[in-house]
């Protein structure tokens, strides 16, 4: 009796282990990815929280408290970078939503050369950002640039796109939209194609106009696509570096600096602590703006 | 009536698309054919003469064949990083989707954090220096893998959800080891999403400018995007060469676009989480 119980217990204890060993989903599958991700992404991220509080030469660091952050809020050009970053993200994501949706509606309607139009709108997404930046820097040249020469033919005096401090950031944002609108468009196309045809059928029977179709069917039902496009381009806009660096290097002066370009400039000048503080500011900025934005967009989505 | 309006709409759309999207690319191509003096005018004009071959030779041989070195470096970087991303990402996506544990929430949080947060640059450089990987190609490869993993894992996890579990269990009952179940049975079934992952990540890594700029300084191991950056000041007076360089490094993405357009669009809209 005692023997059987013991044997039974041993069996019961042994069984889960045996099952675990034969589980087709071994835990060690996580290890290679986890090691790389933890060492090269998580550790630096947590280390930045400490090093942003120091004066740092990479070999030794002196703790100086919140001095780097204080400097960030004191220097006018650093504050300018902060404002520019938010402005840039807001402009690019707003334009990508509006233009992406309109293009997607156009490209899912019955028009000629749809395949060609989809390809041509999407191709810039795949081209090197720096290449696009250099090309548009030349096209936006204030006197010889093609854009202003084209405007001159129409009798309009084109602005100094990248040399006018009030305009430089917006010009870069426009190029960003040119390059990125294709992605927004394909996301919207995927959303619109997924809308059941019955709705449009019913609307047609009720005599709805094209405009009503758009505002009462397409717009509300492509809400998930809108959420994706906004979040995606907003995060991309806040993190943007390569396009700004290729086109203006934050200039003229500090007129088009963003937090990411400030981080690079401070790194180049050897202010590693300040550069890292910039990184932490960017973390906070992204978390503080994107998390509430996501919650807001998802809540409204559930509401309807 | 509708037909007529669509006819006009189509015409307008095609015209605007040519003006907005094709003219900039036509400009790049025209520039590659021009002599230095004509290129300096920066105008949209037909090239006088054909300097294309001369421009290509000069761009390729400048600075001791730097562009060739860069193409080799970028190719190694892209191929190795994408291979590691696919294998490691698929492994995580598989177990993450199949096995529900209390760590899943934490792992998903880390994946979202990786998609959202920019990397902390200087601490990463400090860490790479400590490991002797700073300014080396394998260091940059590991960096690209670390930054690309969250997106790759998400794509794989979503796709693996559509593959029936019975398959894994049948294989186990037939006596297959977990390693074989994954690499011989599941991974081949993931081929469609693997293609998507390969294509999307290759384009992203080949076009990456910021990470090589920070983690791989120096001309000896430049990547293609950095040649553009290095030539920008050097070629400030020879726009023909600068644009020839742009055209040359746009060829690989163009080929990908021609052959894998569908997979790219599928990946970018399905995942829809990457900037």
């Amino acid at each position: 009796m005692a023997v059987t119980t013991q044997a039974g217990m041993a069996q019961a204890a042994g069984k889960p282990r045996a099952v675990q060993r034969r589980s087709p989903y071994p835990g060690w599958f996580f290890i290679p990815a986890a090691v790389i991700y933890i060492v090269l992404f998580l550790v630096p991220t947590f280390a930045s929280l400490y090093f942003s509080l120091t004066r740092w030469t990479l070999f030794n660091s002196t703790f100086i408290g919140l001095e780097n952050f204080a400097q960030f809020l004191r220097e006018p050009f650093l504050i300018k970078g902060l404002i520019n970053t938010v402005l840039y993200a807001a402009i690019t994501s707003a334009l990508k939503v509006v233009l992406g949706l309109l293009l997607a509606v156009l490209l899912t309607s019955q028009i000629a050369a749809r395949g060609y139009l989809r390809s041509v709108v999407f191709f810039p997404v795949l081209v090197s950002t720096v290449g696009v930046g250099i090309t548009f820097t030349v096209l936006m040249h204030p006197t010889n640039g093609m854009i202003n020469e084209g405007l001159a033919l129409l009798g309009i005096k084109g602005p100094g796109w990248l040399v006018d401090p009030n305009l430089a950031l917006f010009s870069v944002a426009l190029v960003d939209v040119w390059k990125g609108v294709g992605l927004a468009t394909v996301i919207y196309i995927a959303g619109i194609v997924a809308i059941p045809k019955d709705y449009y059928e019913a609307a047609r029977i009720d005599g709805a106009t094209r405009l009503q179709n758009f505002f009462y069917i397409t717009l509300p039902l492509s809400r998930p696509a809108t959420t994706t496009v906004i979040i995606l381009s907003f995060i991309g806009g806040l993190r943007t570096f390569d396009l700004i660096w290729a086109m203006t290097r934050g200039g003229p002066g500090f007129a088009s600096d963003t937090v990411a370009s400030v981080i690079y400039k401070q790194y180049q000048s050897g202010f590693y602590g300040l550069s890292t503080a910039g990184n932490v500011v960017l973390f906070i900025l992204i978390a503080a703006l994107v998390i509430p934005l996501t919650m807001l967009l998802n809540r409204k989505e559930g509401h309807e | 009536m509708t037909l007529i309006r669509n006819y006009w709409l189509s015409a307008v759309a095609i015209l605007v698309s040519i003006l907005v999207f094709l003219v900039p690319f036509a400009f790049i191509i025209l520039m590659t054919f021009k002599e230095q003096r004509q290129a300096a005018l920066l105008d949209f004009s037909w090239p006088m003469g054909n300097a294309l071959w001369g421009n290509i030779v000069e761009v390729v041989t400048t600075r001791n064949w730097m562009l060739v070195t860069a193409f080799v470096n970028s190719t190694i970087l892209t191929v190795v990083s994408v291979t590691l991303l696919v294998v490691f990402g698929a492994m995580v996506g598989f177990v993450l989707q199949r096995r529900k544990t209390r760590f899943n929430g934490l792992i998903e949080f880390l994946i979202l954090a990786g998609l959202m947060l920019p990397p902390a640059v200087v601490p990463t450089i400090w860490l790479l220096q400590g490991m002797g990987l700073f300014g080396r190609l394998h260091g940059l490869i590991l960096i690209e893998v670390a930054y690309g993993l969250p997106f790759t894992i998400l794509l794989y996890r979503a796709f693996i959800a559509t593959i029936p579990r019975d398959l894994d269990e049948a294989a186990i009952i037939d006596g297959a080891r977990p390693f074989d179940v994954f690499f011989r049975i599941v991974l081949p079934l993931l081929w469609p999403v693997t293609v998507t992952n390969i294509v999307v990540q290759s384009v992203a890594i080949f076009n990456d400018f910021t990470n090589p700029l920070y983690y791989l300084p120096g001309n000896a191991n430049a990547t293609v995007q950095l040649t553009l950056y290095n030539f920008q000041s050097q070629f400030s007076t020879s726009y023909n060469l600068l644009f020839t360089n742009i055209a040359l490094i746009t060829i690989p993405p163009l080929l990908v676009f021609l052959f894998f357009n569908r997979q790219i669009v599928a990946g970018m809209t399905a995942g829809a989480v990457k900037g």
Side-chain angles (χ1 to χ4, degrees):
Chain A
M1 183 64 201
V3 176
T4 27
T5 323
Q6 222 171 16
M9 271 168 66
Q11 216 173 28
K15 204 175 176 188
R17 207 185 306 142
V19 167
Q20 212 169 42
R21 200 189 307 134
R22 281 170 58 188
S23 159
Y25 317 121
W28 67 264
F29 269 31
F30 284 129
I31 292 174
V35 168
I36 294 177
Y37 185 74
I38 290 171
V39 172
L40 291 175
F41 186 78
L42 288 185
V43 170
T45 302
F46 283 108
S48 72
L49 297 179
Y50 168 71
F51 285 118
S52 64
L53 303 173
T54 65
R55 189 172 290 118
W56 190 22
T57 63
L58 285 185
F59 300 105
N60 52 57
S61 55
T62 336
F63 189 80
I64 53 166
L66 293 171
E67 182 49 39
N68 286 325
F69 294 96
Q71 196 176 348
F72 229 96
L73 298 175
R74 218 168 33 228
E75 299 276 359
F77 72 94
L78 295 179
I79 296 179
K80 176 93 177 149
L82 213 57
I83 297 168
N84 278 347
T85 306
V86 179
L87 210 60
Y88 185 91
I91 296 168
T92 50
S93 48
L95 282 176
K96 282 178 195 173
V97 166
V98 174
L99 294 174
L101 179 57
L102 291 180
L103 279 169
V105 169
L106 182 73
L107 296 181
T108 48
S109 68
Q110 299 294 324
I111 64 166
R114 253 194 330 194
Y116 151 80
L117 286 169
R118 282 188 195 189
S119 305
V120 93
V121 170
F122 185 70
F123 182 58
V125 174
L126 304 182
V127 178
S128 126
T129 311
V130 184
V132 168
I134 292 174
T135 307
F136 272 90
T137 310
V138 169
L139 295 178
M140 285 177 163
H141 191 280
T143 49
N144 299 336
M146 210 185 78
I147 296 178
N148 278 359
E149 286 193 338
L151 288 175
L153 287 179
L154 301 172
I156 304 167
K157 193 185 177 306
W161 298 100
L162 296 169
V163 292
D164 182 342
N166 295 319
L167 208 62
L169 188 74
F170 297 98
S171 305
V172 180
L174 280 184
V175 178
D176 191 318
V177 172
W178 180 88
K179 180 167 161 42
V181 76
L183 183 56
T185 307
V186 294
I187 292 173
Y188 266 119
I189 289 179
I192 290 175
V193 168
I195 298 174
K197 293 282 163 289
D198 313 4
Y199 292 111
Y200 295 103
E201 195 64 19
R204 197 177 57 83
I205 292 166
D206 288 347
T209 63
R210 282 182 166 210
L211 222 56
Q212 284 173 322
N213 270 348
F214 176 76
F215 280 107
Y216 294 106
I217 302 175
T218 312
L219 193 59
L221 289 179
S222 54
R223 181 118 212 174
T226 307
T227 307
T228 307
V229 172
I230 292 179
I231 302 292
L232 212 89
S233 39
F234 203 76
I235 295 176
L238 290 174
R239 291 171 59 160
T240 195
F241 169 74
D242 37 12
L243 193 62
I244 291 204
W245 197 251
M247 293 186 73
T248 64
R249 313 236 155 148
F254 306 107
S256 60
D257 256 328
T258 62
V259 176
S261 72
V262 166
I263 292 172
Y264 184 66
K265 283 181 179 174
Q266 299 303 332
Y267 160 70
Q268 267 190 320
S269 324
F271 297 116
Y272 299 126
L274 192 59
S275 172
T276 308
N279 239 314
V280 174
V281 169
L282 194 54
F283 293 156
I284 297 170
L285 196 66
I286 290 181
L289 292 175
V290 173
I291 293 171
L293 188 67
T294 316
M295 275 159 56
L296 183 80
L297 289 169
N298 285 334
R299 193 184 58 198
K300 277 189 178 167
E301 197 178 322
H303 208 68
E304 273 165 18
Chain B
M1 177 63 197
T2 329
L3 199 71
I4 294 173
R5 184 161 58 179
N6 281 349
Y7 177 76
W8 281 108
L9 198 62
S10 307
V12 170
I14 290 169
L15 209 69
V16 171
S17 76
I18 290 173
L19 210 62
V20 174
F21 287 105
L22 287 190
V23 165
F25 288 110
F27 180 76
I28 296 175
I29 293 167
L30 286 178
M31 284 296 248
T32 63
F33 283 93
K34 290 178 185 177
E35 306 265 5
Q36 184 181 344
R37 209 170 330 139
Q38 196 196 357
L41 298 176
L42 304 181
D43 58 350
F44 191 75
S45 60
W46 196 253
M48 298 179 280
N50 178 359
L52 178 64
W53 184 244
N55 287 341
I56 292 178
V57 169
E58 194 164 348
V59 168
V60 171
T61 54
T62 307
R63 290 221 204 158
N64 215 0
W65 302 79
M66 181 167 142
L67 192 61
V68 178
T69 319
F71 258 102
V72 171
N73 283 339
S74 277
T75 309
I76 296 173
L77 173 69
T78 308
V79 171
V80 179
S81 316
V82 172
T83 310
L84 293 178
L85 268 175
V86 162
V87 175
F88 295 164
M91 284 162 68
V92 173
F94 178 59
V95 179
L96 191 65
Q97 201 280 323
R98 288 295 201 244
R99 212 166 74 171
K100 301 284 173 258
T101 69
R102 59 207 151 93
F103 296 114
N104 276 25
L106 174 71
I107 295 170
E108 269 151 37
F109 170 77
L110 290 178
I111 290 173
L112 285 184
L115 286 172
M116 210 167 82
L117 293 181
V121 181
V122 190
T124 310
I125 290 174
W126 168 73
L127 207 73
L128 286 173
Q129 272 183 346
M131 295 188 292
L133 291 174
F134 180 63
R136 287 160 161 257
L137 201 55
H138 27 285
L140 186 60
I141 288 172
L142 292 176
I143 290 280
E144 298 285 7
V145 174
Y147 297 171
L149 271 172
F151 180 69
T152 310
I153 293 172
L154 277 192
L155 271 189
Y156 270 119
R157 200 190 51 175
F159 191 86
I160 289 167
T162 66
I163 291 182
R165 263 167 183 276
D166 310 356
L167 210 67
D168 330 337
E169 277 150 22
I172 288 291
I173 289 167
D174 287 349
R177 290 176 305 145
F179 186 85
D180 293 325
V181 172
F182 178 72
F183 282 97
R184 296 197 171 184
I185 298 169
V186 177
L187 198 56
L189 288 174
L190 301 179
W191 184 240
V193 73
T194 300
V195 173
T196 304
N197 256 321
I198 290 175
V199 171
V200 172
Q201 295 289 7
S202 305
V203 171
I205 293 172
F206 187 83
N207 280 340
D208 187 12
F209 167 71
T210 314
N211 294 321
L213 180 70
Y214 274 122
Y215 307 125
L216 201 62
N219 284 342
N221 38 24
T223 63
V224 287
Q225 304 302 321
L226 286 183
T227 62
L228 220 49
Y229 175 71
N230 292 341
F231 286 166
Q232 203 180 358
S233 44
Q234 190 184 1
F235 288 166
S236 58
T237 49
S238 12
Y239 283 99
N240 51 336
L241 300 184
L242 186 58
F243 278 91
T244 306
N245 196 357
I246 293 178
L248 286 178
I249 70 167
T250 307
I251 292 173
L254 180 67
L255 293 177
V256 168
F257 172 73
L258 291 178
F259 293 110
F260 297 102
N261 193 11
R262 212 161 40 86
Q263 282 86 350
I264 292 192
V265 171
M268 286 183 166
T269 52
V273 260
K274 176 143 184 168

